[in-house]
Amino acid sequence: GRFGIFGGQYAPEALITCLDELDAGFQAALNDPTFWAELKSYYPYMGRPSSLHLAKRLTEHAGGAKIWLKREDLNHTGSHKINNALGQILIARRLGKTEIIAETGAGQHGVATATVCAKFGMKCTIYMGAEDVRRQALNVFRIRLLGATVIPVESGSRTLRDAVNEAFRAWIVRLDTTHYIIGSAIGPHPFPTMVRTFQSVIGEETKTQLRDLGKSPDAVIACVGGGSNATGMFYPFSDDPSVQLVGVEASGDGLETARHSATLSGGSVGVLHGVRTYVLQDEHGQISNTHSVSAGLDYPGVGPELANWKQSNRAKFLSATDAQALQGFRLLSQLEGIIPALETSHAVWGAIETAKELGPNKDLVLCLSGRGDKDVQSVADELPNL
Ligand SMILES: Cc1ncc(COP(=O)(O)O)c(/C=N/[C@H](C(=O)O)[C@@H](O)C(C)C)c1O
């Protein structure tokens, strides 16, 4: 599982056997038409296909290209995370696993995982940084209501990277009964390929929906945390150079400060959570602490496929500060009546900038990765004059 110089399996020996078993199960499913039929049979449950429509007032505000919205926020549980959680739990069931664990930061992946575990009757344990348990309390409540156990992680920065560490530690002692549903396009092979495969439904539907309107996009844009909604939107267009792929990372207090999470814009090649990719690290290779107003982008790594598209210049990466993301949050709410997740708000700001750059008579699709209910409490403090 290589993406240029990126990817691979930088994992302890004890994990390799399990990763090989997972890869074999995934490859077998990919080549089994009944697997895809079964996955598609849950589309009504998931709310697929998600809608695609023009954002008229946002387009007028930007004054450039038409901005189309791919409404992954309308999926069941409120984000794109259900696409990956459902695909992976079907693989886990084919492998005879009876228990599921997962990490979460924004809590959306935790909710999606708890949801599919309830649906398929599997025991579910979610690892979540204690800081994220605090700032995404609504999702913690939902996860517990769905019957899953939330384990607050007190180590390190008490955010996503610590939750991933804890989840791997928990997984390695019960590989035979348990599958780890990784929430983003990160981790050792086959995880980045598997997550991108299950998220590619976003780009595939977008391509068809625009074609039915007699159009093809000049650019597609998505926010980047670990990279799952971005690779899912980008991958189906990656072999068509006429479509620009634009990722938007979180530059927090500013790229020039130490408080950001813009791994591709401000990081360097390294290894994190079992994969070679771009990371935010100090001169000794120690992984840096990160900051973002959005829990879902607050991560010092990124998927290896995006790292490769950066290196090959197939994709370009912008970043939005906390303040710019909060502007995006407010603009989509007040121009389109859609309250986006703080993660998605970074891509809203990036879409406005990109639409200006593209100019009129062009079409840009924004992957609306999630809804903002989980964030309104924390945003209220940041936007006092609302
Ligand atoms: C609504 C929404 N939009 C974008 C993201 C960024 O994750 P990617 O799409 O994997 O880059 C997220 C990430 N959320 C994860 C979570 O809910 O746990 C994230 O924190 C971790 C799985 C990485 C999200 O919730």
Side-chain angles (χ1 to χ4, degrees):
R2 306 219 57 101
F3 304 96
I5 64 163
F6 303 104
Q9 295 175 323
Y10 295 76
E13 272 308 303
L15 209 46
I16 298 298
T17 313
C18 176
L19 291 171
D20 291 346
E21 176 206 44
L22 178 58
D23 194 17
F26 173 57
Q27 292 304 328
L30 283 189
N31 301 317
D32 177 354
T34 62
F35 172 79
W36 292 105
E38 184 184 14
L39 181 56
K40 285 193 170 62
S41 75
Y42 293 107
Y43 276 15
Y45 175 74
M46 299 159 75
R48 297 220 72 89
S50 69
S51 64
L52 178 121
H53 62 77
L54 186 64
K56 192 169 173 301
R57 295 191 65 212
L58 186 68
T59 298
E60 286 157 6
H61 170 84
K66 284 188 181 66
I67 301 173
W68 299 82
L69 303 180
K70 180 60 175 163
R71 300 294 306 273
E72 293 300 300
D73 61 313
L74 293 179
N75 297 337
H76 182 38
T77 72
S79 85
H80 65 294
K81 296 294 175 181
I82 190 85
N83 304 329
N84 169 51
L86 198 115
Q88 284 205 46
I89 201 165
L90 293 182
I91 299 285
R93 207 170 56 164
R94 287 168 72 100
L95 290 172
K97 307 297 180 189
T98 55
E99 276 190 59
I100 296 290
I101 62 172
E103 87 292 351
T104 198
Q108 287 302 129
H109 176 57
V111 169
T113 303
T115 296
V116 296
C117 288
K119 178 128 186 79
F120 292 95
M122 292 169 103
K123 182 169 177 287
C124 182
T125 306
I126 303 290
Y127 292 88
M128 187 171 193
E131 166 59 11
D132 290 335
V133 167
R134 183 192 62 76
R135 62 182 174 172
Q136 306 280 220
L138 175 73
N139 277 339
V140 176
F141 181 73
R142 288 205 292 167
I143 293 167
R144 287 178 167 143
L145 206 51
L146 289 157
T149 305
V150 174
I151 301 204
V153 175
E154 296 291 350
S155 57
S157 60
R158 305 162 77 230
T159 57
L160 186 57
R161 66 186 274 205
D162 316 290
V164 178
N165 290 335
E166 204 59 37
F168 269 119
R169 261 196 287 275
W171 189 31
I172 204 150
V173 292
R174 48 179 196 252
L175 297 172
D176 49 336
T177 62
T178 302
H179 175 62
Y180 176 3
I181 297 187
I182 276 205
S184 189
I186 57 173
H189 177 73
F191 283 113
T193 305
M194 197 160 55
V195 175
R196 173 252 285 156
T197 301
F198 293 132
Q199 290 293 358
S200 292
V201 62
I202 301 172
E204 278 147 17
E205 285 179 3
T206 299
K207 193 183 280 192
T208 307
Q209 288 164 312
L210 274 184
R211 191 185 301 139
D212 292 350
L213 295 167
K215 288 180 172 293
S216 111
D218 298 286
V220 291
I221 189 162
C223 64
V224 175
S228 70
N229 89 97
T231 49
M233 176 58 96
F234 294 178
Y235 186 74
F237 295 103
S238 58
D239 57 358
D240 177 351
S242 74
V243 182
Q244 272 188 53
L245 310 178
V246 182
V248 187
E249 294 189 295
S251 47
D253 290 353
L255 268 181
E256 68 294 346
T257 73
R259 285 173 49 80
H260 69 76
S261 307
T263 307
L264 288 162
S265 303
S268 53
V269 181
V271 174
L272 177 64
H273 296 143
V275 65
R276 188 170 198 234
T277 180
Y278 262 72
V279 295
L280 291 173
Q281 58 190 334
D282 65 18
E283 64 276 17
H284 308 296
Q286 292 303 313
I287 300 298
S288 311
N289 283 331
T290 52
H291 162 74
S292 167
V293 69
S294 69
L297 305 186
D298 191 357
Y299 179 63
V302 71
E305 191 154 36
L306 286 183
N308 190 40
W309 280 332
K310 172 190 167 70
Q311 187 145 69
S312 62
N313 277 318
R314 177 64 189 92
K316 77 172 184 176
F317 296 91
L318 313 175
S319 62
T321 61
D322 287 356
Q324 289 162 339
L326 287 166
Q327 270 181 37
F329 184 91
R330 188 207 303 252
L331 282 168
L332 195 71
S333 302
Q334 295 175 357
L335 290 173
E336 297 293 333
I338 301 171
I339 300 176
L342 277 176
E343 293 79 11
T344 319
S345 301
H346 290 73
V348 173
W349 182 84
I352 293 167
E353 295 304 301
T354 305
K356 283 178 187 157
E357 217 177 275
L358 283 171
N361 310 320
K362 298 277 187 185
D363 294 288
L364 156 68
V365 184
L366 160 58
C367 181
L368 206 64
S369 58
R371 48 185 307 142
D373 306 56
K374 67 182 175 70
D375 299 312
V376 291
Q377 195 66 48
S378 68
V379 167
D381 311 340
E382 304 269 344
L383 295 178
N385 53 340
L386 257 185

